[in-house]
Amino acid sequence: MHLLLLAALACLTATAIAAPGRKPATPSPKPATPASDSTSPPSFAAPADAASPAAASAPKITFSQCHVEGPYIAMTFDDGPHGANTPRLLDMLKQRKIHATFFVVGQCAAEFPDIMKRIVAEGHEIANHSWSHPQLSSMSESGVRDQLQKTHDAIIQTTGVTPKVMRPPYGAFTARQRSWANGTWGYKCILWDVDPLDWKVRNAEHVKHEILKATVGGSIILSHDIHKTTVDAMPETLDGLAAKGFKFVTVSELIAMDRPVPPKPKATPAAKPETSEGSKTEAGKTPPVPAAPDSTPAPKAKP
Ligand code: NI
């Protein structure tokens, strides 16, 4: 597990937008700016096959959080679908008219086609989280292709929808792999900035507390619908986020609202890249947030 951790951290560091220091302060979500909702100009939207331009204008393909105008956030649920917990979560989301994003594991998608159909029918986004949850960053290209293609196909077969984004298990995906997956399937690589460590601390109160504490406008919140305690946490978590003024959108909706962070006037290249909004986290600073990114073992036993 240590190796996985290190690899994941190295990967996250290399993304250069690894989750910036959390701002535990209250999110001060402004009242919704309706304009963002309806117009949501995809400020960076570049087709996957855009001619690889110079780095300066290269399309952004990795997101840990978004810079958006308005209190928009994306709830994301990984590693399912799960036969019991995912339907329960879907009930909660439906009751609240909330759309989330499900990063499914292909072998689970194939096992629960009806749940897959329900996820899509109820307006949620489905995304690729590999076939069997391996650490992709240490695999061969053909192995990675197999993991992502089989899941891509399973999602299309069960739902008729083509996934647009992916999340690597453990957050472990090299820059080269991200670029390749973007060119191959058009995938954006979605990481996260809020991690309640719900796979580790199986306590609903903890999950709720961590999410409510760390979420800010533009946050991408990681959790796992395979864990009962995570789903148990959701009614109060979702209601608590809504009470703070947050608006729930899918990941693809959130990244379509993403705008460049205004450049900071000061340019001290040697300075420690500590807090900046993800613009220069390249140096060996360990990102503080995803201490144990998504370290859920591959879901083995299905109920
Ligand atoms: Ni996972």
Side-chain angles (χ1 to χ4, degrees), residues 22-41:
R22 285 188 193 171
K23 300 156 202 146
T26 46
S28 67
K30 310 146 203 160
T33 21
S36 314
D37 210 13
S38 45
T39 50
S40 63

Side-chain angles (χ1 to χ4, degrees), residues 78-79 129 133 224 294:
D78 288 15
D79 297 1
H129 195 46
H133 211 273
H224 300 80
D294 191 16

Side-chain angles (χ1 to χ4, degrees):
M1 197 47 72
H2 250 92
L3 282 177
L4 293 183
L5 264 178
L6 288 173
L9 286 175
C11 170
L12 284 169
T13 305
T15 63
I17 61 162
R22 285 188 193 171
K23 300 156 202 146
T26 46
S28 67
K30 310 146 203 160
T33 21
S36 314
D37 210 13
S38 45
T39 50
S40 63
S43 52
F44 61 92
D49 56 353
S52 54
S57 57
K60 189 173 169 183
I61 61 171
T62 309
F63 297 83
S64 292
Q65 68 177 159
C66 292
H67 182 248
V68 298
E69 291 174 17
Y72 299 99
I73 59 173
M75 296 294 300
T76 68
F77 297 95
D78 288 15
D79 297 1
H82 181 281
N85 291 322
T86 304
R88 207 159 59 89
L89 172 62
L90 287 169
D91 290 344
M92 296 167 181
L93 295 170
K94 186 176 188 179
Q95 191 182 3
R96 292 165 177 78
K97 298 184 168 59
I98 288 172
H99 291 162
T101 302
F102 290 80
F103 288 89
V104 300
V105 169
Q107 60 188 13
C108 301
E111 186 177 350
F112 298 109
D114 291 344
I115 300 177
M116 292 288 288
K117 288 181 177 63
R118 182 178 168 194
I119 290 172
V120 167
E122 296 183 357
H124 306 291
E125 180 169 11
I126 295 252
N128 193 330
H129 195 46
S130 83
W131 180 259
S132 60
H133 211 273
Q135 188 184 330
L136 301 174
S137 59
S138 59
M139 292 175 62
S140 69
E141 182 174 310
S142 67
V144 174
R145 178 183 292 278
D146 192 49
Q147 284 281 329
L148 296 180
Q149 186 67 56
K150 278 175 74 178
T151 305
H152 189 88
D153 294 343
I155 292 171
I156 294 173
Q157 279 160 20
T158 53
T159 69
V161 172
T162 302
K164 293 184 285 192
V165 299
M166 64 85 66
R167 172 178 285 155
Y170 317 105
F173 214 41
T174 68
R176 191 174 154 276
Q177 288 174 323
R178 289 196 296 275
S179 174
W180 168 76
N182 181 254
T184 303
W185 296 282
Y187 283 157
K188 303 284 198 307
C189 176
I190 308 299
L191 301 173
W192 58 86
D193 68 309
V194 177
D195 181 0
L197 299 178
D198 63 316
W199 58 272
K200 185 178 180 184
V201 184
R202 304 291 177 87
N203 177 291
E205 191 63 28
H206 174 88
V207 172
K208 176 187 78 172
H209 181 259
E210 292 300 307
I211 291 176
L212 290 178
K213 183 180 69 176
T215 300
V216 296
S219 278
I220 299 172
I221 299 148
L222 169 70
S223 57
H224 300 80
D225 53 320
I226 56 170
H227 299 311
K228 179 180 182 298
T229 41
T230 300
V231 177
D232 288 345
M234 282 305 130
E236 290 187 14
T237 303
L238 298 171
D239 292 345
L241 290 169
K244 288 182 166 206
F246 289 116
K247 308 286 183 194
F248 301 90
V249 295
T250 64
V251 158
S252 284
E253 289 170 337
L254 190 71
I255 65 178
M257 296 178 206
D258 187 59
R259 285 171 178 69
V261 178
K264 304 211 168 176
K266 54 174 185 184
T268 40
K272 272 192 184 168
E274 281 203 309
T275 54
S276 54
E277 257 344 281
S279 56
K280 42 176 177 178
T281 352
E282 198 77 55
K285 169 98 178 164
T286 301
V289 177
D294 191 16
S295 312
T296 311
K300 326 149 187 132
K302 295 282 104 199

